[in-house]
């Protein structure tokens, strides 16, 4: 067990999330992007693009000169794959085998829906086998069925082929092998995943796969605790999560962390304990609580950024309450549809709610708000405004308009 402060632990967390240091230069291209994905373990995907899709905003928060084409090239080159981890995520291809238990669970879950939809799923598979890779628009169907998000009491609106593609992708019979804007390109899994990884996935013992998945989760979160319902990405009960932590402590892989001011513990990998303590012992070198952040120290985080996955951890370590209000009725939103936390140094100091007008090449800032307890100097305000301009430019906007 180690003892530390909230600030030391959050600085360790930011460091491991590549958010404490200056942005990495992306000029090295897709190989550098892959290195970052490997360090983060995965990137969460989301179709909502108030500015750009979440996965691209996560990367640009950590890499200067990042371009979405770099990530898309990795997908086309089969260096990464898309599947369920923290949710739908982009994951390094070498980790494909350890997701076999997840694939088997989901395959069993959707099997009856696939059977009920036949012969459409087989027709999709046959067409991909003969012609693939193909985008969803290449599959035509007059039949309409109830898709994932439809009200089953209303008239069916989803193309049977589109629903089949979604089910086959979830079951990992086919997979996404490219993205062009919002268009996804599909191919057979058996043809697009390296043969040695498919073989390893088939031979890997379930218990070992789940152990490796837990370790991947620990590396992704870096600071974790068992109340997280997504713990290990394995759908474990609360008792199983607590037992898993204790087993990893007993074999020396995980270390308990007592945090000053918190009643409950957090946990880190034992191999990270020295890094946590290094931040603890460096406390005297930190600036005081007054933030005089330089422009490149200010980062806007998308709602599904890796740092924000645990809302409890945000409140505990950053004293920052965050809820994504995308599904909250507009008249009840407090901060906005796509409010992005503002990171300055090692603190979350406020929120920005942006919209990118692609036709006009303008970034519209619906909200720019600091936390109530923040003492906002003129310099800090100036630095944040400058960072907004840099954010706009990085995402293709030439002007910024404040509502």
């Amino acid at each position: 067990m180690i003892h530390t402060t909230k600030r030391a632990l959050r600085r360790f967390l930011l460091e491991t999330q590549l958010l404490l240091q200056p942005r990495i230069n992306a000029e090295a291209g897709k190989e550098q992007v892959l290195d970052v994905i490997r360090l983060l373990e995965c990137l969460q995907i989301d179709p909502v693009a108030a500015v750009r899709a979440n996965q691209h905003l996560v990367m640009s928060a950590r890499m200067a000169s990042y371009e979405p084409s770099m990530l898309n090239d990795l997908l086309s080159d089969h260096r990464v794959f898309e599947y369920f981890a923290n949710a739908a995520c982009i994951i390094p291809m070498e980790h494909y085998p350890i997701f076999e238990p997840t694939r088997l669970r989901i395959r069993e879950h959707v099997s009856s829906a696939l059977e009920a939809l036949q012969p459409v799923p087989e027709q999709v598979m046959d067409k991909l086998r003969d012609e693939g890779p193909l985008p969803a628009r290449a599959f035509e169907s007059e039949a309409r069925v109830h898709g994932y998000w439809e009200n089953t009491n209303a008239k069916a609106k989803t193309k049977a082929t589109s629903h089949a593609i979604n089910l086959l992708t979830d079951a990992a019979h086919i997979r996404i092998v490219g993205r062009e804007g919002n268009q996804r390109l599909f191919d057979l899994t058996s043809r697009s995943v390296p043969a040695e990884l498919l073989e390893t996935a088939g031979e890997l013992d379930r218990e070992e796969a789940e152990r490796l998945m837990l370790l991947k989760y620990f590396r992704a979160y870096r600071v974790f605790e068992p109340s997280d319902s997504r713990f290990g990405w394995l759908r474990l009960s609360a008792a199983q999560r607590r037992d898993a932590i204790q087993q990893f402590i007993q074999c020396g892989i995980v270390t308990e962390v007592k945090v000053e001011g918190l009643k409950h513990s957090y946990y880190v990998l034992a191999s990270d304990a020295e890094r946590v303590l290094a931040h603890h012992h460096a406390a005297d070198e930190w600036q005081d609580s007054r933030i005089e952040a330089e422009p490149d120290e200010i980062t806007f985080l998308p709602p599904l950024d890796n740092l924000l996955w645990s809302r409890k951890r945000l409140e505990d370590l950053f004293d920052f309450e965050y809820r994504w209000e995308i599904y909250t009725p507009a008249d009840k939103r407090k901060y906005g549809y796509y409010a992005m936390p503002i990171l300055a140094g090692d603190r979350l100091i406020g929120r920005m709610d942006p919209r990118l007008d692609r036709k006009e090449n303008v970034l519209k800032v619906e909200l720019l708000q600091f936390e109530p307890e923040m003492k906002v100097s003129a310099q800090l305000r100036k630095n944040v405004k400058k960072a907004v301009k840099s954010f706009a430019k990085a995402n293709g906007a030439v002007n910024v308009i404040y509502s």
Side-chain angles (χ1 to χ4, degrees), residues 128-369:
L128 286 173
R129 191 174 291 110
D130 295 339
E131 304 176 32
L134 294 170
R137 64 173 179 268
F139 300 87
E140 294 298 331
S141 175
E142 296 298 326
R144 294 294 183 268
V145 297
H146 288 105
Y148 278 155
W149 307 109
E150 287 186 38
N151 182 343
T152 55
N153 295 321
K155 183 179 178 180
K157 298 179 181 179
T158 301
K159 285 197 309 181
T161 50
S162 296
H163 191 43
I165 287 169
N166 287 333
L167 291 170
L168 288 167
T169 303
D170 288 353
H173 295 306
I174 67 176
R175 70 181 197 87
I176 298 163
V177 296
R179 283 180 179 269
E180 297 176 1
N182 291 326
Q183 287 295 317
R184 300 174 297 170
L185 198 65
F186 297 89
D187 199 1
L188 300 177
T189 298
S190 59
R191 186 166 57 196
S192 59
V193 174
E196 64 273 17
L197 294 179
L198 289 173
E199 184 178 352
T200 301
E203 296 175 350
L204 190 61
D205 176 78
R206 181 185 184 92
E207 185 176 335
E208 176 62 7
E210 292 183 348
R211 186 187 74 86
L212 293 172
M213 183 70 82
L214 279 162
L215 290 172
K216 183 174 178 65
Y217 170 93
F218 296 158
R219 294 192 304 268
Y221 274 73
R222 305 309 285 234
V223 176
F224 46 90
E225 47 78 34
S227 74
D228 178 16
S229 61
R230 290 185 287 192
F231 183 89
W233 303 323
L234 293 173
R235 297 199 171 186
L236 303 175
S237 68
Q240 287 173 322
R241 298 194 297 266
R242 292 192 297 269
D243 287 346
I245 283 277
Q246 290 306 314
Q247 288 174 20
F248 278 103
I249 289 175
Q250 288 170 11
C251 61
I253 292 175
V254 165
T255 296
E256 184 175 1
V257 182
K258 288 289 187 182
V259 185
E260 184 181 313
L262 296 181
K263 293 181 179 179
H264 56 273
S265 296
Y266 274 90
Y267 300 85
V268 299
L269 288 165
S271 56
D272 283 334
E274 287 189 10
R275 293 175 70 180
V276 174
L277 292 174
H279 283 285
H280 183 85
H281 296 315
D284 292 341
E285 300 175 14
W286 298 334
Q287 295 179 350
D288 62 27
S289 58
R290 185 172 58 92
I291 296 177
E292 294 292 351
E294 296 299 324
D296 61 359
E297 291 179 317
I298 293 172
T299 304
F300 303 101
L301 302 174
L304 299 175
D305 190 275
N306 300 42
L307 183 70
L308 310 181
W309 284 349
S310 170
R311 306 296 196 239
K312 178 180 179 180
R313 187 177 64 184
L314 281 183
E315 294 177 17
D316 283 345
L317 302 186
F318 292 84
D319 298 314
F320 188 84
E321 183 179 334
Y322 183 68
R323 300 290 181 272
W324 191 16
E325 298 178 324
I326 186 171
Y327 300 116
T328 304
D331 61 339
K332 295 184 179 180
R333 289 175 187 151
K334 185 176 180 180
Y335 299 109
Y337 168 81
Y338 206 77
M340 300 176 67
I342 304 170
L343 176 68
D346 63 12
R347 295 183 64 187
L348 293 168
I349 64 170
R351 296 164 175 81
M352 173 182 70
D353 185 26
R355 303 286 185 283
L356 180 62
D357 186 329
R358 291 170 177 80
K359 291 183 179 179
E360 300 294 329
N361 292 326
V362 170
L363 185 77
K364 298 179 179 179
V365 179
E366 305 287 340
L367 170 90
L368 184 62
Q369 187 177 85

Side-chain angles (χ1 to χ4, degrees), residues 43 45 55 71-72 75 80-85 87-93 96 99 103 169-170 172 174-179 184-186:
L43 308 175
I45 306 165
Q55 62 268 29
L71 184 54
N72 294 337
L75 189 60
V80 297
F81 70 101
E82 295 187 11
Y83 207 58
F84 300 103
C89 287
I90 293 173
I91 306 157
M93 182 60 81
Y96 185 86
F99 283 82
R103 287 189 289 270
T169 303
D170 288 353
I174 67 176
R175 70 181 197 87
I176 298 163
V177 296
R179 283 180 179 269
R184 300 174 297 170
L185 198 65
F186 297 89

